[in-house]
Amino acid sequence: MLVDTFGRTATDLRVSLTDRCNLRCTYCMPPEGLDWLPKPELLTDDEVVRLVRIGVERLGITEVRYTGGEPLLRRGITGIVRRTAELRPRPQISLTTNGIGLDRLAEPLARAGLDRVNVSLDTLDREVFQRLAHRDRLADVLAGLAAARDAGLLPVKVNAVLMRGVNEHEAVPLLRYCLDNGYHLRFIEQMPLDAQHGWTRADMITADEILASLGGEFALEPADAAERGSAPAEAFLVDGGPERVGVIASVTRPFCGACDRVRLTADGQVRNCLFATEESNLRDAMRAGASDDDLAARWRAAVRAKRAGHGIDDPSFLQPARPMSAIGG
């Protein structure tokens, strides 16, 4: 098992398939993009599947989520999902995506064994979308959401980040849209993971602000806290339920004590925390001939060193050198 010194067990593996993305969201990267990882540094499909297999068969991983960058840009994604679904015990398999291309890939991914998707959608306004993402692709995202629902990738979860002076007024419209279409909306506090290192607490829309905005239009009631477990989202029943909305308050209401996640970057580095400043290189060890036992031992050691919390409120906090697109959500 992947157990740290605070007794937390990592069972949820987030695997980045690429650092590339076809959007340029301002809270992630600059409009001109970033210097992408050279292809030889990326894990091959076989290497990804081998490490996932070790995680599932030897280390107690029960859920695998493929992320990016934008994972749908990975040509072999359908095959990777299919081979992951063949593992025993079979893990739950999910995908975090911006939705572009999902209208074409939702059905093949569902047939390959994908269980569900998380789709990023920060606005329903085409002009605001272009301002945020520097691309005119809102229609593609909405089409991808519908395709995921129709393919049975349920529940379809929508992740939204509100930014002050940009889209903070859209909390209510986003929730109405998701309720009307059967999607599960979660608002995420903006985190210090942008490549520009421009994040400030003053500019962040907090969970309290989000709930206050929604409370003007909907009756919100906290869901049973016992149901949350290690889930990052705090859930609220909307107008008595059963519909819900979630808030992931990573900054103002950290949930590090219940964290069960571990990350593998597209170039084969284990990260025991989203905000970790150290990584453990499995790729080079694997390419040098390391056995499954050795790779598992290295992985255990990396997770054992996990800190008690992300430390955003600590005066000594340093933002990770890698931005979100290079870490993987």
Side-chain angles (χ1 to χ4, degrees), residues 1-2 9-14 52-65 84 87-94 115 230 260-262 299:
M1 305 293 284
L2 293 170
T9 301
T11 58
D12 183 342
L13 173 61
R14 311 292 174 93
V52 171
R53 175 180 59 77
I54 291 171
V56 170
E57 294 180 353
R58 295 170 179 259
L59 299 172
I61 294 298
T62 59
E63 179 175 354
V64 178
R65 180 181 300 182
T84 304
L87 296 175
R88 295 294 179 270
R90 185 198 187 281
Q92 183 182 28
I93 309 168
S94 57
D115 295 307
S230 60
D260 65 351
R261 289 167 291 286
V262 63
W299 205 331

Side-chain angles (χ1 to χ4, degrees), residues 230-290:
S230 60
E234 184 178 358
F236 297 85
L237 299 176
V238 179
D239 292 338
E243 291 82 5
R244 301 183 177 204
V245 63
V247 178
I248 300 177
S250 302
V251 179
T252 63
R253 304 179 187 179
F255 39 85
C256 301
C259 181
D260 65 351
R261 289 167 291 286
V262 63
R263 289 171 169 80
L264 182 67
T265 65
D267 56 348
Q269 314 296 311
V270 170
R271 296 179 63 89
N272 58 28
C273 174
L274 188 59
F275 295 94
T277 55
E278 296 180 351
E279 300 175 334
S280 182
N281 189 335
L282 296 188
R283 180 201 62 201
D284 289 355
M286 179 167 50
R287 292 179 179 178

Side-chain angles (χ1 to χ4, degrees), residues 196-231:
Q196 308 93 303
H197 288 211
W199 178 91
T200 65
R201 184 179 289 270
D203 288 338
M204 180 188 69
I205 305 296
T206 68
D208 286 345
E209 290 176 283
I210 294 167
L211 292 172
S213 179
L214 295 176
E217 296 288 334
F218 304 95
L220 301 181
E221 177 185 347
D224 186 352
E227 297 178 10
R228 181 177 181 182
S230 60

